[in-house]
Amino acid sequence: MSKPLTDHEKRKQISVRGIAGLGDVAEIKKSFNRHLHFTLVKDRNVATPRDYYFALAHTVRDHLVGRWIRTQQYYYEKDPKRIHYLSLEFYMGRTLQNTMINLGLQNACDEAIYQLGLDLEELEEIEEDAGLGNGGLGRLAACFLDSMASLGLAAYGYGIRYEFGIFNQKITKGWQVEEADDWLRYGNPWEKARPEYMLPVHFYGRVAHTPEGPKWVDTQVVLAMPYDTPVPGYKNNTVNTMRLWSAKAPNDFNLQEFNVGDYIQAVLDRNLAENISRVLYPNDNFFEGKELRLKQEYFVVAATLQDIIRRFKSSKFGCRDPVRTSFETFHEKVAIQLNDTHPALAIPELMRILVDIERLDWEKAWEITTKTCAYTNHTVLPEALERWPVHMFEKLLPRHLQIIYEINQRHLDRVAVLYPGDNDRLCRMSLIEEGDPKRINMAHLCVVGSHAVNGVARIHSDIVKTTVFKDFCDIEPEKFQNKTNGITPRRWLLLCNPGLADIIAEKIGEDFLTDLFQLKKLLDFVNDEMFIRDVAKVKQENKLKFAAYLESEYKVKINPESIFDIQVKRIHEYKRQLLNCLHVITLYNRIRKEPNKKFVPRTVMIGGKAAPGYHMAKIIIKLFTSVGEVVNHDPVVGDRLKVIFLENYRVSLAEKVIPAADLSEQISTAGTEASGTGNMKFMLNGALTIGTMDGANVEMAEEAGEENLFIFGMRVEDVEAMDKKGYNAREYYERLPELKQVMDQISTGFFSPKEPELFKDVVNMLMNHDRFKVFADYEAYISCQEKVNELYRNPKEWTKKVIRNIAASGKFSSDRTIAEYAREVWGVEPSDVKIPPPNEPRE
């Protein structure tokens, strides 16, 4: 038998990673050694693995710079409409490997590094994740940037350069403990500070009434320093920019006349201004009305709009053509996409600039603003909707409050004409919610101030139109659209699962990486014995690799023959990790009841972070780890059931776990998960889905055929019917003996013998006020899981379903999503023009 290939030899055979030409390899080695030498010559003579990582990062970065400059030059010449994606989160993960892939350098770098006696994968592991996001919303922004560059759109991502991203999660005695994410500790080779574009942002102050109109005066100034990160498209020589703002105190901060004498304190107080970009708020789907967060939201918006207007005024045509001192054409050259309501202040801020500074009349300014802005809604959960107290605005942004009042007045005047005497409707549709305190409904501001509003999956967009924004949809139905989310196949297939990408490329060529619908061609091979075997083999290799990773990192041994049953996402009641937990305990009880029966072995893995202030989410983690303690040490169970909590789930861990999954858990209560994108990543990587008819699961089932997913549980209609009738948890508890046994074990301390009361809050919630109706779907879930076991016993039929799923995942490329935004929201056409590379003369 031939000896197994090393990882390096395996990677060499993978064609989709680019050709390692001899010239390229020699050039990369030379560049690497030069960077290493200059790194070391400064102060050390022994290189550490981190030195090697930075040398490689700088080598790869050198290949980006020429394309980056040329792309921006090309935009300046051609002056296309520019897309500005505003988001308080960009969950980018690691950059090195993605950059090598998109530049077609991966095999050349691998070979060069190998010839230097180093291992590429080891160097890649040194890079810190850029964790500037909480979950789906932030990761979506990152996929969108990749797709916008790959589709040749003149696009910019605008956000905040948080000094501390999403916290690192440690599990201590089964509990989550947070640790600051000091991701910039060793420096970030992918960013370039641009102090020459620093801009002032104003806070506080008052509104003075002058003969020229209102002026915002006596403000405090914070400077916004831009840091640019290149965003390369896939093999098209386009390199776009993500510009993240960092807060700087001006040099005269707190040193004005009234503060004479305490120079030291004044300099120390600079921190107060600079705290704006210190840390990412760690809430997912939850609104916390803190002043610092409102400052962050205005900070990114104010800096970005100044930047957009500067670029609009100084673009090539603006130099000679007086048309650019006019804002008539602004919306023909500028699109602003609001990623949820977090950057909603773009609407009043653009109005303030146009009316107060550029002196346009209100109607013209409003027309420009609405034609420029568009809003994406990400959730219908009421606790997630941003409703800022008016008194906070009064203090922090007094002029914006006036503008919002004016927007509201004109909006309500229009509604009153359409619905005379309908006072209830005026109250429901107002941007201002009466009460104590009075609040500004930011979603209403976004709907009124945008020309397009979209949900992120068909079912979610329908719910948006019939519930949260029904009144608005009655008046302007044409404003409401759907844009089903997607994921970039570069990171989520080629980068994380090269083995699978390669066997697909062998069958259908490489074009699927930029046109994922081509995966449909795999249906021709669903009965091809060789292909079935190859798909199963790739999955088995991924499982073995992940099992080895878990053993080396966490010292846990798992059975690679077992079903890898995985639920990774933020911990939230609506995502129902508790339902998963009840299934695990049920399975455990069945094994103990009939220890000699043949069971299909399972390894159940849950991973995800809980917001630090979300008590229930933290208890859910503790419950799961406690169940693991019992199950994993019970000799009766053996390796038939293992329960693992995946610590510190993040982008770089997702890239390891998703390719190894057999079963993807997407089990939110119908009507609560707007879309989900993890579901799509699992589908593309050869896992089967167990899920409810919620979010994008609905469209996944439509694309693949419902018989190729494990769909269970209540539909939206059933949930609505139950809300009318009333949900009675106790009824299920009394009727279902296995459920009763599980709940009794949790409440009597079977999983917490030292603290029998530990989980009383969970039990009380499930029995008495469970908004997400876990028990109502328990029976259907358990029996659906039995179908999973049954199919897994037949590996060939299982793998055929896997192939059908992969073949049906083409719709869920973010390239398709972005092409739809481009045509239907931004009014631009995606382009397959390949900008000439830096080494070729321009035409």
Side-chain angles (χ1 to χ4, degrees):
M1 201 178 131
S2 62
K3 79 176 174 65
L5 294 173
T6 66
D7 270 351
H8 172 73
E9 289 164 326
K10 241 186 235 155
R11 293 199 297 265
K12 259 174 96 164
Q13 295 178 355
I14 293 175
S15 60
V16 283
R17 289 192 159 193
I19 294 95
L22 288 180
D24 288 339
V25 173
E27 172 56 44
I28 287 164
K29 281 165 76 175
K30 192 171 130 189
S31 179
F32 177 91
N33 281 320
R34 188 171 54 90
H35 278 297
L36 189 64
H37 172 76
F38 285 119
T39 305
L40 292 178
V41 86
K42 289 203 279 270
D43 53 0
R44 299 195 306 287
N45 43 20
V46 177
T48 65
R50 180 163 280 105
D51 294 319
Y52 294 133
Y53 160 70
F54 274 101
L56 178 57
H58 286 116
T59 300
V60 172
R61 194 181 93 177
D62 290 343
H63 286 259
L64 268 174
V65 172
R67 290 171 170 92
W68 197 7
I69 290 167
R70 182 164 280 203
T71 300
Q72 299 310 311
Q73 210 167 358
Y74 178 83
Y75 292 157
Y76 180 76
E77 309 266 327
K78 294 269 186 288
D79 194 41
K81 184 170 185 178
R82 290 174 163 88
I83 315 305
H84 307 85
Y85 196 83
L86 270 64
S87 181
L88 268 88
E89 303 185 22
F90 286 94
Y91 203 170
M92 303 294 284
R94 292 173 177 160
T95 298
L96 173 61
Q97 193 184 355
N98 189 247
T99 304
M100 292 189 300
I101 282 175
N102 280 10
L103 295 183
L105 286 173
Q106 192 162 32
N107 268 339
C109 288
D110 199 345
E111 187 56 34
I113 295 303
Y114 177 72
Q115 288 180 18
L116 293 166
L118 299 166
D119 181 58
L120 183 59
E121 254 178 70
E122 258 168 57
L123 299 190
E124 288 166 351
E125 282 298 311
I126 291 167
E127 183 176 357
E128 300 273 355
D129 279 47
L132 308 185
N134 277 288
L137 173 145
R139 183 54 235 174
L140 185 77
C143 284
F144 279 6
L145 292 183
D146 182 271
S147 287
M148 289 188 291
S150 297
L151 291 176
L153 299 178
Y156 301 77
Y158 275 102
I160 295 176
R161 180 181 178 268
Y162 300 107
E163 198 176 318
F164 296 93
I166 188 64
F167 61 85
N168 284 314
Q169 179 194 56
K170 289 272 184 297
I171 301 295
T172 306
K173 297 181 181 166
W175 294 93
Q176 166 176 300
V177 178
E178 299 88 22
E179 215 171 65
D181 166 41
D182 192 5
W183 71 291
L184 294 168
R185 182 172 48 232
Y186 300 104
N188 173 6
W190 305 107
E191 70 181 8
K192 175 81 183 80
R194 307 296 301 275
E196 67 274 26
Y197 291 118
M198 188 142 61
L199 292 165
V201 175
H202 298 262
F203 293 102
Y204 302 108
R206 60 188 177 87
V207 181
H209 293 281
T210 71
E212 294 83 60
K215 270 216 170 64
W216 185 19
V217 296
D218 300 340
T219 54
Q220 295 181 25
V221 175
V222 178
L223 299 176
M225 164 88 80
Y227 285 78
D228 287 357
T229 299
V231 179
Y234 182 67
K235 292 183 180 175
N236 65 350
N237 297 323
T238 295
V239 181
N240 285 343
T241 302
M242 175 176 67
R243 176 162 284 181
L244 301 181
W245 301 101
S246 183
K248 280 284 273 163
N251 287 331
D252 64 358
F253 186 79
N254 269 12
L255 287 166
Q256 292 94 347
E257 55 289 354
F258 59 90
N259 205 339
V260 178
D262 207 344
Y263 164 73
I264 296 290
Q265 193 53 48
V267 173
L268 298 184
D269 285 346
R270 293 171 61 85
N271 280 321
L272 274 54
E274 295 173 358
N275 277 338
I276 290 175
S277 55
R278 194 79 67 205
V279 61
L280 168 73
Y281 272 85
N283 304 316
D284 187 75
N285 274 302
F286 184 76
F287 171 62
E288 184 179 0
K290 292 282 191 284
E291 184 177 50
L292 180 61
R293 170 68 173 196
L294 184 57
K295 280 185 178 169
Q296 289 181 339
E297 292 183 354
Y298 181 63
F299 176 75
V300 65
V301 155
T304 298
L305 277 166
Q306 290 180 73
D307 210 39
I308 290 172
I309 285 165
R310 173 192 56 74
R311 198 179 284 120
F312 170 76
K313 285 182 168 178
S314 71
S315 74
K316 197 173 178 190
F317 293 89
C319 298
R320 322 180 247 280
D321 188 343
V323 83
R324 274 300 165 85
T325 53
S326 146
F327 280 83
E328 279 300 315
T329 62
F330 189 72
H331 65 271
E332 292 165 24
K333 288 294 177 187
V334 174
I336 294 174
Q337 191 67 34
L338 307 176
N339 193 26
D340 211 326
T341 57
H342 313 146
L345 286 165
I347 292 164
E349 173 67 4
L350 182 51
M351 284 301 286
R352 186 186 69 84
I353 293 167
L354 295 178
V355 174
D356 291 5
I357 298 168
E358 301 294 338
R359 301 259 160 251
L360 274 69
D361 66 76
W362 182 279
E363 287 73 17
K364 188 74 220 161
W366 185 244
E367 183 194 350
I368 290 167
T369 298
T370 52
K371 284 179 168 170
T372 301
C373 296
Y375 157 57
T376 302
N377 172 276
H378 284 271
T379 181
V380 295
L381 293 180
E383 63 268 36
L385 296 176
E386 290 196 293
R387 295 152 60 249
W388 289 103
V390 165
H391 66 79
M392 211 181 273
F393 261 78
E394 222 151 20
K395 180 173 108 168
L396 195 70
L397 301 167
R399 180 60 183 137
H400 295 78
L401 181 59
Q402 291 183 346
I403 290 169
I404 289 168
Y405 277 146
E406 181 68 21
I407 292 169
N408 195 38
Q409 189 57 59
R410 290 167 181 253
H411 157 60
L412 292 180
D413 289 347
R414 272 187 40 221
V415 178
V417 170
L418 292 168
Y419 298 91
D422 191 344
N423 240 313
D424 274 1
R425 183 180 297 262
L426 291 180
C427 282
R428 290 198 308 267
M429 295 185 75
S430 176
L431 310 194
I432 312 294
E433 296 179 356
E434 295 304 329
D436 190 25
K438 288 214 301 191
R439 292 175 177 276
I440 302 171
N441 184 315
M442 301 305 273
H444 288 186
L445 174 61
C446 286
V447 172
V448 171
S450 298
H451 72 278
V453 174
N454 72 280
V456 290
R458 190 176 57 221
I459 187 176
H460 168 236
S461 297
D462 289 343
I463 290 169
V464 158
K465 285 188 286 196
T466 56
T467 61
V468 261
F469 301 143
K470 179 181 187 301
D471 293 325
F472 297 88
C473 190
D474 289 346
I475 295 173
E476 303 182 278
E478 67 290 338
K479 193 180 265 194
F480 291 84
Q481 303 189 14
N482 172 244
K483 295 286 168 280
T484 300
N485 283 164
I487 57 172
T488 171
R490 273 73 65 179
R491 183 177 295 267
W492 297 114
L493 179 56
L494 184 49
L495 182 155
C496 69
N497 203 343
L500 181 57
D502 203 44
I503 63 169
I504 292 171
E506 267 174 36
K507 289 290 183 203
I508 67 171
E510 267 178 53
D511 288 353
F512 69 93
L513 288 165
T514 49
D515 176 15
L516 205 62
F517 280 111
Q518 295 202 19
L519 290 176
K520 278 196 172 56
K521 296 177 184 170
L522 292 176
L523 289 175
D524 295 343
F525 305 102
V526 75
N527 294 307
D528 178 321
E529 298 292 336
M530 284 278 280
F531 188 61
I532 292 170
R533 206 198 52 198
D534 284 344
V535 170
K537 178 165 162 276
V538 166
K539 180 60 73 180
Q540 204 48 42
E541 283 172 357
N542 291 340
K543 288 173 74 172
L544 286 164
K545 188 169 181 178
F546 188 64
Y549 170 81
L550 283 185
E551 208 174 325
S552 71
E553 292 295 302
Y554 301 105
K555 314 288 171 257
V556 283
K557 255 192 149 58
I558 58 177
N559 172 10
E561 301 299 307
S562 64
I563 298 179
F564 282 17
D565 170 348
I566 302 183
Q567 186 177 24
V568 283
K569 51 186 74 238
R570 286 294 290 257
I571 311 295
H572 201 299
E573 287 159 88
Y574 87 82
K575 295 176 186 282
R576 297 202 296 190
Q577 282 92 355
L578 279 172
L579 183 57
N580 193 342
C581 215
L582 298 186
H583 172 247
V584 169
I585 300 170
T586 304
L587 222 44
Y588 171 66
N589 290 335
R590 286 181 178 184
I591 292 171
R592 290 210 319 167
K593 190 177 174 191
E594 303 185 75
N596 300 318
K597 194 175 151 187
K598 275 291 262 184
F599 284 89
V600 178
R602 275 206 194 217
T603 305
V604 180
M605 304 181 227
I606 293 185
K609 291 172 184 175
Y614 190 173
H615 169 72
M616 187 60 69
K618 290 187 143 178
I619 298 280
I620 290 169
I621 292 174
K622 176 59 176 171
L623 174 61
F624 190 76
T625 55
S626 304
V627 171
E629 281 299 302
V630 171
V631 172
N632 298 344
H633 296 112
D634 190 326
V636 173
V637 175
D639 66 357
R640 294 182 287 186
L641 180 61
K642 284 276 179 274
V643 179
I644 313 278
F645 186 84
L646 298 171
E647 193 176 291
N648 202 31
Y649 180 64
R650 58 198 185 283
V651 175
S652 57
L653 185 55
E655 290 163 3
K656 296 177 175 70
V657 65
I658 291 171
D662 292 308
L663 188 65
S664 160
E665 299 266 358
Q666 308 296 337
I667 58 178
S668 55
T669 311
T672 63
E673 188 73 89
S675 167
T677 44
N679 47 3
M680 302 167 187
K681 292 163 193 172
F682 283 105
M683 183 187 198
L684 183 59
N685 281 278
L688 298 184
T689 301
I690 184 165
T692 50
M693 278 298 204
D694 197 19
N697 299 355
V698 176
E699 290 159 83
M700 287 164 50
E702 186 178 309
E703 294 295 300
E706 203 172 317
E707 69 282 2
N708 292 305
L709 282 76
F710 296 99
I711 297 290
F712 73 93
M714 297 182 291
R715 311 298 203 248
V716 168
E717 303 72 46
D718 306 318
V719 175
E720 284 170 354
M722 187 169 288
D723 282 330
K724 276 205 188 72
K725 164 177 139 263
Y727 164 63
N728 178 6
R730 191 156 249 101
E731 172 195 322
Y732 298 92
Y733 171 83
E734 305 291 2
R735 184 167 60 77
L736 304 169
E738 284 187 304
L739 175 58
K740 182 176 193 303
Q741 183 189 3
V742 170
M743 290 307 295
D744 292 348
Q745 286 168 306
I746 295 171
S747 43
T748 57
F750 183 90
F751 298 106
S752 54
K754 294 191 177 116
E755 288 181 79
E757 295 274 85
L758 186 57
F759 301 117
K760 67 172 194 309
D761 289 356
V762 176
V763 173
N764 178 41
M765 182 273 289
L766 285 173
M767 297 296 290
N768 301 311
H769 36 84
D770 175 8
R771 295 166 59 201
F772 303 106
K773 305 176 177 65
V774 170
F775 291 1
D777 277 337
Y778 170 83
E779 199 176 8
Y781 182 55
I782 301 295
S783 79
C784 197
Q785 289 283 16
E786 289 165 7
K787 293 197 183 92
V788 172
N789 290 333
E790 205 179 310
L791 187 65
Y792 196 77
R793 285 201 177 94
N794 185 341
K796 191 170 150 185
E797 287 308 310
W798 179 280
T799 305
K800 284 179 165 189
K801 271 211 200 310
V802 164
I803 294 167
R804 289 190 194 102
N805 271 267
I806 296 169
S809 61
K811 176 178 180 178
F812 305 106
S813 169
S814 48
D815 297 346
R816 186 268 317 151
T817 310
I818 289 299
E820 289 181 11
Y821 276 100
R823 297 187 177 112
E824 297 163 28
V825 179
W826 305 327
V828 293
E829 232 354 88
S831 130
D832 45 16
V833 176
K834 196 168 171 184
I835 296 173
N839 52 4
E840 280 174 29
R842 290 157 68 210
E843 67 289 344

